Amino acid sequence: STRRTVDLRSDTVTKPTESMRSAMANAEVDDDVLGNDPTAVRLEKEVAEIAGKEAAMFVPSGTMGNLISVLVHCDERGSEVILGDDSHIHIYENGGVSSLGGVHPRTVKNEEDGTMEISSIEAAVRIPKGDLHHPVTKLICLENTQANCGGRCLPVEYIDKVGELAKKHDLKLHIDGARIFNASVALGVPVKRIVQAADSVSICLSKGIGAPVGSVIVGSKSFITKARWLRKTLGGGMRQIGVLCAAALVALHENVAKLDDDHKKAKILAEGLNRIERVRVNVTAVETNIIYIDIPEDPKFGAEDACKSLEALGVLVIPQAKFRIRIVLHHQISDSDVEYVLSCFEKMF
Ligand SMILES: Cc1ncc(COP(=O)(O)O)c(CN[C@H](C(=O)O)[C@H](C)O)c1O
C-alpha cells in the first residue's frame, strides 16, 4: 500500500472536521465570565443530560477537569485521594492535586483489567478519621476506560460497588471519564448508567469524538458552582468559548456513533500484529481503541528506535515503555491506513 502519514500517537490528534469548522465560524458567543456563553450553556446542558447529572462545566482540558474535580471534593489541605497507581491523574498530571491543592495521593494497584481491588481500596481508607497520624480520606477516583491498562472498560457493577464503598465511608467518587464514550460503546451501556454512582465525572470531547479542544465536568449544582470558581482561580475562566463548544457539540452529534468503528479497527490491527512472529499483543485486552504492542527485548532496538523507524515510514506511534509501543485508533484512521500500518510492522519485525 502507498506510503502516507498515519497518526496513531493518540486519539487527541484528530483535526476538526469541515462540519466543526463551519459550526465554529457561525457559533453564537458571549462572555462566559461576565455571564454565560450561549453555546457553552447548550453544550453543558447536553452533557449533563447525557451523564444524568444536575450540572456541567466546560474546561479546556481533561487535566484541568480532573484537577478541579479533585480539589472541589478535597477542599482542605491534608485531604487524601485514593486512586490507581497507573491512573492518568497520578502519572500524567504533574502531581497537580498535591502541588496546587495540597491533596495527598494514596495509590492502590491497578489490576490488568483497569480496576483496583475493592478490598484494597477499603484498606486504604484512613480509619479512624482524625487519627493523629492520618491525612483525611475524602475521595476515590476511578478511570473509565483505564488508559494505561490498555483502554480497559470498568464494568458498571464494579463502579456501583465502589460507589457503595464510598458512601459507606462518607467519601466522594470521581470518574476520570476521558474515554467514557468508548466505554459506553464497548459495554453497550449508556453513559448515565455507567457513571450513576459517581459524584463527578470528567468527560473529554477532544479525544475519540474528535473535538479540537475541551472536556466537560459534570456533577451536582453545588459541585459545579464551586468548580466554576476554581476554574477561574486556575485561569480557566474563558470568554467567547462558543467557538470551541460549537465544535464539541458537532463531535457529540456526529462522532460518538463512529467509536465502534475505532474499536473494530483496533481489534483487526491487534490480531494482525499478534500474527507477527516476534511481536506480542494481548488481543483479548483490546476492548476499545488502544493497543499495546510488546516488541522483542533487543537492547539495540527498543520501542524508541522502533517508533523512529516507523516515523520514517509515516507511521506515528509513541513508546509506552522500553519494549512496548502504544497505538490509539480514532475516526480519522481508515481501513487502508490499518493495512499500511500492519505492513510496516511486518516489514520491521
Ligand atoms: C485517561 C485520561 N485522563 C485525562 C487525560 C488528560 O486529558 P488532556 O489534559 O490531555 O485533555 C488523558 C489524556 N491522555 C493523553 C493520551 O492518552 O494521549 C496523554 C497521556 O496525556 C487521559 O488519557
mmCIF file of all heavy atoms in Angstrom, residues 9-12 60-64 66 88 92-93 143 145 147 176 178-179 204 206-207 215 318 326, ligand 1:
data_model
loop_
_atom_site.group_PDB
_atom_site.id
_atom_site.type_symbol
_atom_site.label_atom_id
_atom_site.label_comp_id
_atom_site.label_asym_id
_atom_site.label_seq_id
_atom_site.Cartn_x
_atom_site.Cartn_y
_atom_site.Cartn_z
ATOM 1 N N ARG A 9 -0.582 8.388 17.410
ATOM 2 C CA ARG A 9 0.027 8.760 18.694
ATOM 3 C C ARG A 9 -1.008 8.801 19.824
ATOM 4 O O ARG A 9 -0.735 8.489 20.969
ATOM 5 C CB ARG A 9 0.721 10.128 18.569
ATOM 6 C CG ARG A 9 1.986 10.125 17.728
ATOM 7 C CD ARG A 9 2.478 11.533 17.508
ATOM 8 N NE ARG A 9 1.507 12.323 16.722
ATOM 9 C CZ ARG A 9 1.561 13.645 16.626
ATOM 10 N NH1 ARG A 9 2.495 14.347 17.267
ATOM 11 N NH2 ARG A 9 0.659 14.296 15.892
ATOM 12 N N SER A 10 -2.210 9.238 19.449
ATOM 13 C CA SER A 10 -3.275 9.353 20.453
ATOM 14 C C SER A 10 -4.585 9.662 19.741
ATOM 15 O O SER A 10 -4.579 9.975 18.548
ATOM 16 C CB SER A 10 -2.948 10.497 21.426
ATOM 17 O OG SER A 10 -4.014 10.655 22.362
ATOM 18 N N ASP A 11 -5.711 9.564 20.491
ATOM 19 C CA ASP A 11 -6.962 9.993 19.881
ATOM 20 C C ASP A 11 -7.150 11.495 20.120
ATOM 21 O O ASP A 11 -8.159 12.087 19.788
ATOM 22 C CB ASP A 11 -8.164 9.193 20.398
ATOM 23 C CG ASP A 11 -8.139 8.982 21.906
ATOM 24 O OD1 ASP A 11 -7.227 9.529 22.558
ATOM 25 O OD2 ASP A 11 -9.001 8.272 22.427
ATOM 26 N N THR A 12 -6.093 12.143 20.663
ATOM 27 C CA THR A 12 -6.140 13.599 20.852
ATOM 28 C C THR A 12 -5.666 14.323 19.594
ATOM 29 O O THR A 12 -5.714 15.542 19.537
ATOM 30 C CB THR A 12 -5.184 14.026 21.999
ATOM 31 O OG1 THR A 12 -3.851 13.606 21.638
ATOM 32 C CG2 THR A 12 -5.567 13.378 23.317
ATOM 33 N N PRO A 60 -10.883 23.577 29.546
ATOM 34 C CA PRO A 60 -10.011 23.473 28.366
ATOM 35 C C PRO A 60 -9.308 22.131 28.204
ATOM 36 O O PRO A 60 -8.817 21.824 27.132
ATOM 37 C CB PRO A 60 -8.998 24.604 28.578
ATOM 38 C CG PRO A 60 -9.085 24.977 30.005
ATOM 39 C CD PRO A 60 -10.444 24.626 30.467
ATOM 40 N N SER A 61 -9.242 21.331 29.272
ATOM 41 C CA SER A 61 -8.530 20.050 29.142
ATOM 42 C C SER A 61 -9.040 19.045 30.170
ATOM 43 O O SER A 61 -9.637 19.427 31.190
ATOM 44 C CB SER A 61 -7.030 20.281 29.374
ATOM 45 O OG SER A 61 -6.824 20.606 30.749
ATOM 46 N N GLY A 62 -8.773 17.793 29.912
ATOM 47 C CA GLY A 62 -9.149 16.735 30.861
ATOM 48 C C GLY A 62 -8.348 16.857 32.142
ATOM 49 O O GLY A 62 -8.832 16.591 33.241
ATOM 50 N N THR A 63 -7.095 17.323 31.971
ATOM 51 C CA THR A 63 -6.239 17.513 33.150
ATOM 52 C C THR A 63 -6.852 18.546 34.090
ATOM 53 O O THR A 63 -6.937 18.321 35.305
ATOM 54 C CB THR A 63 -4.830 17.949 32.709
ATOM 55 O OG1 THR A 63 -4.265 16.913 31.910
ATOM 56 C CG2 THR A 63 -3.931 18.247 33.888
ATOM 57 N N MET A 64 -7.358 19.661 33.509
ATOM 58 C CA MET A 64 -7.983 20.662 34.383
ATOM 59 C C MET A 64 -9.308 20.140 34.943
ATOM 60 O O MET A 64 -9.645 20.407 36.100
ATOM 61 C CB MET A 64 -8.211 21.993 33.656
ATOM 62 C CG MET A 64 -8.589 23.101 34.648
ATOM 63 S SD MET A 64 -9.125 24.639 33.893
ATOM 64 C CE MET A 64 -7.573 25.389 33.474
ATOM 65 N N ASN A 66 -9.998 17.045 35.773
ATOM 66 C CA ASN A 66 -9.687 16.182 36.925
ATOM 67 C C ASN A 66 -9.204 17.010 38.114
ATOM 68 O O ASN A 66 -9.624 16.781 39.258
ATOM 69 C CB ASN A 66 -8.616 15.161 36.542
ATOM 70 C CG ASN A 66 -9.156 14.036 35.662
ATOM 71 O OD1 ASN A 66 -10.320 13.647 35.777
ATOM 72 N ND2 ASN A 66 -8.333 13.539 34.773
ATOM 73 N N HIS A 88 -4.197 8.186 35.138
ATOM 74 C CA HIS A 88 -3.692 9.394 34.460
ATOM 75 C C HIS A 88 -3.468 10.513 35.476
ATOM 76 O O HIS A 88 -2.444 11.196 35.416
ATOM 77 C CB HIS A 88 -4.684 9.851 33.381
ATOM 78 C CG HIS A 88 -4.105 10.875 32.461
ATOM 79 N ND1 HIS A 88 -4.125 12.225 32.749
ATOM 80 C CD2 HIS A 88 -3.442 10.743 31.280
ATOM 81 C CE1 HIS A 88 -3.527 12.887 31.774
ATOM 82 N NE2 HIS A 88 -3.099 12.021 30.883
ATOM 83 N N TYR A 92 0.253 11.345 34.920
ATOM 84 C CA TYR A 92 0.475 12.305 33.824
ATOM 85 C C TYR A 92 -0.067 13.706 34.090
ATOM 86 O O TYR A 92 -0.240 14.472 33.156
ATOM 87 C CB TYR A 92 -0.202 11.800 32.546
ATOM 88 C CG TYR A 92 0.351 10.520 31.983
ATOM 89 C CD1 TYR A 92 -0.438 9.358 31.990
ATOM 90 C CD2 TYR A 92 1.632 10.435 31.463
ATOM 91 C CE1 TYR A 92 0.050 8.172 31.474
ATOM 92 C CE2 TYR A 92 2.130 9.240 30.948
ATOM 93 C CZ TYR A 92 1.338 8.109 30.956
ATOM 94 O OH TYR A 92 1.815 6.923 30.453
ATOM 95 N N GLU A 93 -0.407 14.011 35.369
ATOM 96 C CA GLU A 93 -0.979 15.355 35.580
ATOM 97 C C GLU A 93 -0.097 16.193 36.521
ATOM 98 O O GLU A 93 -0.549 17.050 37.253
ATOM 99 C CB GLU A 93 -2.445 15.244 36.048
ATOM 100 C CG GLU A 93 -3.265 14.496 34.979
ATOM 101 C CD GLU A 93 -4.775 14.426 35.218
ATOM 102 O OE1 GLU A 93 -5.295 15.095 36.132
ATOM 103 O OE2 GLU A 93 -5.436 13.676 34.464
ATOM 104 N N GLU A 143 -11.013 5.420 36.706
ATOM 105 C CA GLU A 143 -10.732 5.907 35.347
ATOM 106 C C GLU A 143 -11.380 4.931 34.368
ATOM 107 O O GLU A 143 -11.063 3.746 34.371
ATOM 108 C CB GLU A 143 -9.215 5.957 35.133
ATOM 109 C CG GLU A 143 -8.770 6.480 33.780
ATOM 110 C CD GLU A 143 -7.249 6.558 33.681
ATOM 111 O OE1 GLU A 143 -6.603 7.073 34.614
ATOM 112 O OE2 GLU A 143 -6.718 6.066 32.671
ATOM 113 N N THR A 145 -12.572 4.612 30.206
ATOM 114 C CA THR A 145 -11.708 3.459 30.206
ATOM 115 C C THR A 145 -10.371 3.798 30.868
ATOM 116 O O THR A 145 -10.009 4.972 30.932
ATOM 117 C CB THR A 145 -11.429 3.029 28.749
ATOM 118 O OG1 THR A 145 -10.719 4.062 28.054
ATOM 119 C CG2 THR A 145 -12.735 2.721 28.019
ATOM 120 N N ALA A 147 -6.742 4.017 30.695
ATOM 121 C CA ALA A 147 -5.848 4.150 29.540
ATOM 122 C C ALA A 147 -4.577 3.330 29.667
ATOM 123 O O ALA A 147 -4.257 2.523 28.786
ATOM 124 C CB ALA A 147 -5.498 5.626 29.330
ATOM 125 N N ASP A 176 -12.607 9.664 36.173
ATOM 126 C CA ASP A 176 -11.899 10.265 35.033
ATOM 127 C C ASP A 176 -12.466 9.551 33.797
ATOM 128 O O ASP A 176 -12.007 8.468 33.454
ATOM 129 C CB ASP A 176 -10.394 10.058 35.187
ATOM 130 C CG ASP A 176 -9.659 10.543 33.932
ATOM 131 O OD1 ASP A 176 -10.324 10.973 32.960
ATOM 132 O OD2 ASP A 176 -8.413 10.468 33.915
ATOM 133 N N ALA A 178 -12.307 10.371 30.649
ATOM 134 C CA ALA A 178 -11.733 10.920 29.414
ATOM 135 C C ALA A 178 -12.276 10.159 28.203
ATOM 136 O O ALA A 178 -12.616 10.734 27.183
ATOM 137 C CB ALA A 178 -10.207 10.829 29.449
ATOM 138 N N ARG A 179 -12.373 8.837 28.325
ATOM 139 C CA ARG A 179 -12.877 7.991 27.224
ATOM 140 C C ARG A 179 -14.150 7.248 27.637
ATOM 141 O O ARG A 179 -14.350 6.089 27.281
ATOM 142 C CB ARG A 179 -11.773 7.017 26.788
ATOM 143 C CG ARG A 179 -10.563 7.727 26.226
ATOM 144 C CD ARG A 179 -9.516 6.775 25.662
ATOM 145 N NE ARG A 179 -8.398 7.533 25.104
ATOM 146 C CZ ARG A 179 -7.386 8.013 25.825
ATOM 147 N NH1 ARG A 179 -7.348 7.824 27.141
ATOM 148 N NH2 ARG A 179 -6.399 8.701 25.256
ATOM 149 N N CYS A 204 -13.883 13.851 28.260
ATOM 150 C CA CYS A 204 -13.130 14.524 27.189
ATOM 151 C C CYS A 204 -13.938 14.525 25.900
ATOM 152 O O CYS A 204 -14.462 13.493 25.487
ATOM 153 C CB CYS A 204 -11.794 13.830 26.938
ATOM 154 S SG CYS A 204 -10.587 14.190 28.219
ATOM 155 N N SER A 206 -12.320 16.086 23.343
ATOM 156 C CA SER A 206 -11.208 16.270 22.405
ATOM 157 C C SER A 206 -10.451 14.959 22.185
ATOM 158 O O SER A 206 -9.375 14.949 21.612
ATOM 159 C CB SER A 206 -10.242 17.309 22.983
ATOM 160 O OG SER A 206 -9.822 16.869 24.262
ATOM 161 N N LYS A 207 -10.981 13.854 22.663
ATOM 162 C CA LYS A 207 -10.320 12.573 22.380
ATOM 163 C C LYS A 207 -11.106 11.875 21.280
ATOM 164 O O LYS A 207 -11.289 12.454 20.209
ATOM 165 C CB LYS A 207 -10.203 11.749 23.664
ATOM 166 C CG LYS A 207 -9.184 12.361 24.616
ATOM 167 C CD LYS A 207 -8.680 11.408 25.652
ATOM 168 C CE LYS A 207 -7.529 12.057 26.375
ATOM 169 N NZ LYS A 207 -7.874 13.382 26.918
ATOM 170 N N SER A 215 -12.967 19.524 27.489
ATOM 171 C CA SER A 215 -13.632 18.495 28.293
ATOM 172 C C SER A 215 -14.804 19.157 28.992
ATOM 173 O O SER A 215 -14.928 20.378 28.996
ATOM 174 C CB SER A 215 -12.660 17.947 29.343
ATOM 175 O OG SER A 215 -11.662 17.153 28.747
ATOM 176 N N ILE A 318 3.726 6.140 19.757
ATOM 177 C CA ILE A 318 4.631 6.539 20.841
ATOM 178 C C ILE A 318 5.039 5.338 21.695
ATOM 179 O O ILE A 318 4.268 4.394 21.852
ATOM 180 C CB ILE A 318 4.017 7.638 21.748
ATOM 181 C CG1 ILE A 318 2.636 7.261 22.264
ATOM 182 C CG2 ILE A 318 3.971 8.976 21.055
ATOM 183 C CD1 ILE A 318 2.087 8.288 23.258
ATOM 184 N N ARG A 326 2.585 2.039 22.038
ATOM 185 C CA ARG A 326 1.143 2.259 22.141
ATOM 186 C C ARG A 326 0.579 2.744 20.807
ATOM 187 O O ARG A 326 1.176 3.613 20.176
ATOM 188 C CB ARG A 326 0.849 3.312 23.209
ATOM 189 C CG ARG A 326 -0.649 3.538 23.437
ATOM 190 C CD ARG A 326 -0.961 4.632 24.424
ATOM 191 N NE ARG A 326 -0.929 5.963 23.787
ATOM 192 C CZ ARG A 326 -1.550 7.029 24.306
ATOM 193 N NH1 ARG A 326 -2.194 6.940 25.446
ATOM 194 N NH2 ARG A 326 -1.490 8.189 23.686
HETATM 195 C C1 LIG B 1 -7.437 8.850 30.977
HETATM 196 C C2 LIG B 1 -7.048 10.269 30.697
HETATM 197 N N1 LIG B 1 -7.479 11.234 31.542
HETATM 198 C C3 LIG B 1 -7.147 12.540 31.336
HETATM 199 C C4 LIG B 1 -6.362 12.920 30.265
HETATM 200 C C5 LIG B 1 -5.995 14.389 30.138
HETATM 201 O O1 LIG B 1 -6.635 14.986 29.087
HETATM 202 P P1 LIG B 1 -5.986 16.300 28.458
HETATM 203 O O2 LIG B 1 -5.466 17.124 29.599
HETATM 204 O O3 LIG B 1 -4.905 15.816 27.553
HETATM 205 O O4 LIG B 1 -7.110 16.960 27.737
HETATM 206 C C6 LIG B 1 -5.898 11.956 29.354
HETATM 207 C C7 LIG B 1 -5.027 12.374 28.174
HETATM 208 N N2 LIG B 1 -4.200 11.292 27.742
HETATM 209 C C8 LIG B 1 -3.196 11.600 26.757
HETATM 210 C C9 LIG B 1 -3.126 10.420 25.779
HETATM 211 O O5 LIG B 1 -3.663 9.336 26.130
HETATM 212 O O6 LIG B 1 -2.522 10.603 24.731
HETATM 213 C C10 LIG B 1 -1.820 11.807 27.411
HETATM 214 C C11 LIG B 1 -1.294 10.533 28.018
HETATM 215 O O7 LIG B 1 -1.937 12.753 28.420
HETATM 216 C C12 LIG B 1 -6.245 10.596 29.569
HETATM 217 O O8 LIG B 1 -5.822 9.629 28.743
#
